[in-house]
Amino acid sequence: MPPGLAAAVERLRADLARAPFDAPAEERLAELGLTGGALAEAERAGAVLRLRDGVVLLPGADREALRILSALPQPFTPRQAGDALSTSRRVAVALLEHLDGLGLTERRR
């Protein structure tokens, strides 16, 4: 990655250090310089995990979420997932859909 993009990813890493599931808002991503082509390049390089609805986390956040969620009483709701991950419903749902898409969880209705 170009040095400027690597620096932007490091600032994102610092933002997420204490709260790994607290995905930054679009405005914060713009402040970091992680929009458009830069964000796509960071994703291609494996430096970020981009989920639906503009949710951007660090690589491995999905596996850590799976570890935490597997400890919940089954089945659980998106709200319970959000509480367990200390994140918003938007992020929890994006993570759950991602994990389901990978075949690591099973969505029940």
Side-chain angles (χ1 to χ4, degrees):
M1 283 189 301
L5 183 54
V9 170
E10 282 307 309
R11 289 189 302 272
L12 174 65
R13 189 175 307 284
D15 282 2
L16 294 172
R18 285 180 281 192
F21 305 108
D22 190 14
E26 191 174 310
E27 296 81 19
R28 178 60 180 152
L29 289 172
E31 289 171 9
L32 294 171
L34 292 171
T35 59
L39 183 57
E41 186 175 349
E43 181 180 24
R44 280 191 304 274
V48 299
L49 173 64
R50 187 161 53 164
L51 307 175
R52 74 170 188 88
D53 291 341
V55 173
V56 177
L57 300 171
L58 296 176
D62 51 353
R63 300 299 172 153
E64 179 61 12
L66 182 62
R67 184 188 68 75
I68 292 167
L69 297 174
S70 66
L72 291 178
Q74 305 292 318
F76 55 83
T77 66
R79 181 181 187 137
Q80 290 167 320
D83 289 346
L85 299 172
S86 299
T87 194
S88 67
R89 178 178 169 80
R90 176 182 74 95
V91 174
V93 168
L95 272 166
L96 290 171
E97 288 180 350
H98 173 74
L99 293 170
D100 187 51
L102 294 174
L104 299 173
T105 58
E106 179 182 309
R107 185 176 181 176
R108 295 186 185 170
R109 294 182 187 250

